[in-house]
Amino acid sequence: MTVAGDSVEASNYDTVYDAAYDLIGHRNPSVSTFNLKDLIVDIDAVNIGGVQLLNNTEPLNQLIRNYYGYLGDYNWRFTKFLQSRFFMNNEEQSYDYLQDQATAILNSNDLLVAQARALFKDAFDVAYYTEEEGEEVARAFRDVIEREGAKE
């Protein structure tokens, strides 16, 4: 969500999409509030949490060791993220669902989501963005996850 505000305020890009695509997972942490380290931590947390939900008898420390161990799931973190949390009938539909969910987080009028978003935006001083700008950031997030997954 921070990158949505950053993308709107970024003046050195032609579009909000271009800014978001560059800023999401940027390798230089001084350039983006949602740099590669932040992206990986978020992706890994979702992946490890998903495994824990499926296998709640194994201690968390063992799940973490398995995830980061030799040939662990971290080697395919973006693919696992898509498959475990957003899988639909095929890969393209899965990416579309990911984009829909990202758009919902950024724009939804659902009372609980909107309240949580307002608290987050206030706590992290996120700049105002329109619904259309939120949609473009969600599209960029989808494309970044697809780009990073293709590297695995």
Side-chain angles (χ1 to χ4, degrees), residues 8-9 18 20 40 55 59-60 80 91 99 102 104-105 118 134-135 142:
V8 169
E9 292 186 328
D18 291 342
I40 286 173
N55 184 5
L60 181 58
K80 286 285 190 186
E91 190 174 271
Q99 182 177 337
I105 293 297
E135 290 170 3
R142 173 208 192 274

Side-chain angles (χ1 to χ4, degrees), residues 101-145:
Q101 293 301 298
T103 300
I105 293 297
L106 292 169
N107 291 340
S108 174
N109 290 324
D110 176 85
L111 183 61
L112 292 177
V113 174
Q115 288 176 336
R117 182 176 54 247
L119 290 171
F120 185 94
K121 288 172 81 173
D122 185 53
F124 291 96
D125 198 28
V126 175
Y128 172 80
Y129 58 86
T130 67
E131 188 172 313
E132 292 79 17
E133 291 165 336
E135 290 170 3
E136 288 300 289
V137 171
R139 185 168 65 93
F141 180 71
R142 173 208 192 274
D143 292 347
V144 167
I145 298 301

